[in-house]
Amino acid sequence: MKKNDILTGVCVDYTHEGEGIVKSEGFPFFIKNVIKGETVRFLVLKMKSSYGYGKCLEILDSSKHR
């Protein structure tokens, strides 16, 4: 995984700032405007050693709470 990759993952929780924690291949990404339980396709914006940041491109499986 590297910057500008397009990945798919499932939102499993939230950060204390309200961003969705989306896991792709077990690696966590922080993404705004994602609801727990949703499957999303996202663009990798920034990578750190143990987490990354992304931007939601498409919601593949929407939450009933949206």
Side-chain angles (χ1 to χ4, degrees), residues 38-60:
E38 289 184 327
T39 302
V40 296
R41 196 167 63 102
F42 64 95
L43 174 68
V44 177
L45 299 176
K46 190 177 195 181
M47 291 292 295
K48 299 285 188 176
S49 60
S50 59
Y51 61 92
Y53 292 93
K55 177 182 177 185
C56 182
L57 299 175
E58 180 181 7
I59 298 171
L60 302 173

Side-chain angles (χ1 to χ4, degrees), residues 1 21-30 46-53:
M1 289 178 257
I21 300 173
V22 176
K23 290 210 173 180
S24 180
E25 299 176 24
F27 195 82
F29 289 89
F30 304 138
K46 190 177 195 181
M47 291 292 295
K48 299 285 188 176
S49 60
S50 59
Y51 61 92
Y53 292 93

Side-chain angles (χ1 to χ4, degrees), residues 9-24 26-38 40 42 50-52:
V10 177
C11 184
V12 294
D13 209 349
Y14 302 108
T15 67
H16 63 278
E17 296 166 346
E19 294 178 316
I21 300 173
V22 176
K23 290 210 173 180
S24 180
F27 195 82
F29 289 89
F30 304 138
I31 303 175
K32 292 181 181 178
N33 303 319
V34 178
I35 298 174
K36 189 174 180 179
E38 289 184 327
V40 296
F42 64 95
S50 59
Y51 61 92

